[in-house]
Amino acid sequence: GDSVTQTEGLVTLTEGLPVMLNCTYQSTYSPFLFWYVQHLNEAPKLLLKSFTDNKRPEHQGFHATLHKSSSSFHLQKSSAQLSDSALYYCALSDRGSALGRLHFGAGTQLIVIP
Amino acid sequence: DTTVKQNPRYKLARVGKPVNLICSQTMNHDTMYWYQKKPNQAPKLLLFYYDKILNREADTFEKFQSSRPNNSFCSLYIGSAGLEYSAMYLCASSRALEQYFGPGTRLTVL
């Protein structure tokens, strides 16, 4: 079945250092991948998606590249900001599912300190 | 407006009592979802409505009910709450693959 693995439950970084949050997946089909971000007491919001017309998806300084050979969609940013502190979910949508059923990873809590 | 609203934000319930959670969206999305999120676990899809058709996941089939009286509203109903139902419940809606989430309802069962 489809599944998503986020190996880090908690990542603590100093402001200005690069961010990399890991996401690997298993899927029968060729899936769509997403990153969602949830700030404290807010709704999860879509940050990136893997399908953007042949361009590398980027948003708010974050980017991610879908690597089918390694089944990965790691989230990266060159320089962490205090406001990046949040819970990050990687999610997969099976292209075979027209109804957009999402499979989530457990999430990575990112804490950025001064 | 891409807002999905959930009420209440916090809910306290007694074991054995019913619980009803409400979700609404004004984006005219045809699909609405309910997820359960427990600490250190991935959000788990419980059920979803595509238009008026309810789809419940196999392993939660008998534990949760839902209704969708119109396109904008969707409820999640627990007939008899148990301690294991304590969790964050997230509602989402979509027209295509991108899902828009509400802030969640934190349910605590005592």
Side-chain angles (χ1 to χ4, degrees):
Chain A
D2 295 330
S3 66
V4 175
T5 301
Q6 293 179 252
T7 51
E8 310 114 334
L10 173 66
V11 171
T12 304
L13 282 174
T14 302
E15 187 179 15
L17 290 181
V19 179
M20 179 154 157
L21 305 184
N22 291 322
C23 173
T24 56
Y25 65 89
Q26 270 190 307
S27 180
T28 307
Y29 301 97
S30 182
F32 293 110
L33 272 293
F34 303 83
W35 277 100
Y36 281 85
V37 58
Q38 185 175 21
H39 288 93
L40 194 61
N41 296 323
E42 294 183 10
K45 292 190 177 106
L46 180 64
L47 182 61
L48 290 173
K49 56 189 180 184
S50 63
F51 46 108
T52 53
D53 299 327
N54 297 321
K55 296 177 186 174
R56 185 179 74 168
E58 291 193 29
H59 186 61
Q60 297 177 350
F62 286 95
H63 60 90
T65 302
L66 182 63
H67 289 287
K68 294 180 182 177
S69 58
S70 57
S71 298
S72 67
F73 191 57
H74 304 320
L75 184 68
Q76 294 178 276
K77 186 175 184 181
S78 59
S79 176
Q81 297 177 289
L82 296 176
S83 57
D84 294 331
S85 294
L87 183 57
Y88 291 81
Y89 291 108
C90 184
L92 171 159
S93 178
D94 176 3
R95 287 178 185 235
S97 170
L99 297 174
R101 182 186 269 107
L102 281 179
H103 301 269
F104 282 90
T108 297
Q109 181 72 50
L110 175 65
I111 298 175
V112 181
I113 57 176
Chain B
D1 182 12
T2 56
T3 303
V4 176
K5 296 180 181 175
Q6 291 188 243
N7 288 299
R9 293 294 306 274
Y10 300 91
K11 175 75 177 174
L12 201 58
R14 295 291 182 188
V15 169
K17 297 297 186 184
V19 175
N20 197 43
L21 308 180
I22 303 293
C23 177
S24 65
Q25 51 89 15
T26 55
M27 296 174 278
N28 200 32
H29 284 170
D30 50 21
T31 310
M32 294 185 75
Y33 309 80
W34 280 101
Y35 293 86
Q36 182 190 63
K37 171 79 173 74
K38 293 187 175 182
N40 302 317
Q41 294 183 21
K44 177 183 169 60
L45 180 64
L46 300 175
L47 52 87
F48 63 94
Y49 264 100
Y50 175 63
D51 195 13
K52 292 180 171 52
I53 301 170
L54 174 61
N55 298 269
R56 286 186 286 179
E57 295 296 281
D59 55 348
T60 57
F61 190 84
E62 294 179 348
K63 296 183 179 180
F64 299 93
Q65 293 284 341
S66 183
S67 66
R68 192 176 185 188
N70 55 55
N71 178 268
S72 300
F73 287 88
C74 187
S75 68
L76 181 70
Y77 181 75
I78 301 167
S80 177
L83 296 175
E84 71 276 15
Y85 288 87
S86 291
M88 176 71 81
Y89 289 85
L90 294 168
C91 174
S93 70
S94 73
R95 181 180 289 116
L97 286 174
E98 297 177 30
Q99 294 187 19
Y100 296 84
F101 284 84
T105 295
R106 184 171 296 282
L107 173 65
T108 302
V109 182
L110 301 173

